[in-house]
């Protein structure tokens, strides 16, 4: 089962991301701050993270770069999420080694498929470009354990 950590300092945005992922059948964890993310990822066997870009303690792109540089997390799928311009988000994603990007305006149709593609890419499977939104075909519900 895919285990996703959602990190966003905005409660409403984080809840929206979690709801989409739970509906798609993922086991979802959440943090309001990037502090302690690596510990949660290792402890809870997280397979992918959905990171907001703009956060007060450390930006999501900087956290993504740190996670990508950690050899112990080589199989971790990383999806950047933001309300900023898609071209800017795409360039940022490439720069930090993210596996996908999702515009906050497309969360409901793009987040779950982007997570699936990120996990598949890290597992060595081929996947289409992750910035293209595809409707989710996952199971209707899943457990959710708040963090």
């Amino acid at each position: 089962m895919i285990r996703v950590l959602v990190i966003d300092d905005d409660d409403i945005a984080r809840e929206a991301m979690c709801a989409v992922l739970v509906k798609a059948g993922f086991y979802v964890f959440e943090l309001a701050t990037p502090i302690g993310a690596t510990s949660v990822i290792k402890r809870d066997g997280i397979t992918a993270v959905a990171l907001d870009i703009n956060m007060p303690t450390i930006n999501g792109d900087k956290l993504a770069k740190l996670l990508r540089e950690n050899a112990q997390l080589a199989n971790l799928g990383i999806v950047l999420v933001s309300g900023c311009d898609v071209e800017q988000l795409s360039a940022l994603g490439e720069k930090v080694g993210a596996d996908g990007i999702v515009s906050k305006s497309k969360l409901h149709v793009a987040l779950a498929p982007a997570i699936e593609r990120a996990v598949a890419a890290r597992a060595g499977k081929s996947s289409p470009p992750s910035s293209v939104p595809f409707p989710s075909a996952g199971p209707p519900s899943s457990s959710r354990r708040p963090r």
Side-chain angles (χ1 to χ4, degrees):
M1 172 178 275
I2 296 176
R3 300 165 71 83
V4 183
L5 175 60
V6 173
I7 306 173
D8 194 325
D9 63 309
D10 182 292
D11 294 340
I12 294 169
R14 191 175 63 252
E15 276 298 314
M17 285 191 274
C18 289
V20 165
L21 295 171
V22 166
K23 184 177 179 185
F26 302 131
Y27 196 73
V28 178
F29 299 76
E30 61 184 279
L31 288 173
T33 174
I35 305 301
T38 303
S39 296
V40 171
I41 290 165
K42 290 178 180 179
R43 181 189 68 220
D44 295 321
I46 301 299
T47 50
V49 293
L51 294 171
D52 179 37
I53 295 297
N54 297 313
M55 290 187 282
T57 53
I58 181 174
N59 284 343
D61 57 316
K62 289 184 177 131
L63 178 60
K65 187 174 184 336
L66 291 171
L67 294 173
R68 190 53 71 221
E69 292 171 350
N70 186 331
Q72 294 178 329
L73 303 177
N75 294 327
L76 181 69
I78 299 174
V79 175
L80 299 181
V81 181
S82 180
C84 73
D85 176 70
V86 175
E87 287 181 19
Q88 179 185 358
L89 184 57
S90 182
L92 195 56
E94 272 188 52
K95 180 180 175 184
V96 300
D99 299 298
I101 61 161
V102 174
S103 170
K104 284 190 176 182
S105 67
K106 302 286 186 196
L107 281 179
H108 62 288
V109 295
L111 184 58
I115 293 291
E116 289 170 343
R117 287 190 300 277
V119 170
R122 289 289 143 185
K125 300 176 184 172
S126 62
S127 61
S130 55
S131 61
V132 179
F134 295 101
S136 174
S141 64
S142 175
S143 301
R144 178 169 171 218
R145 186 173 124 195
R147 276 266 132 224

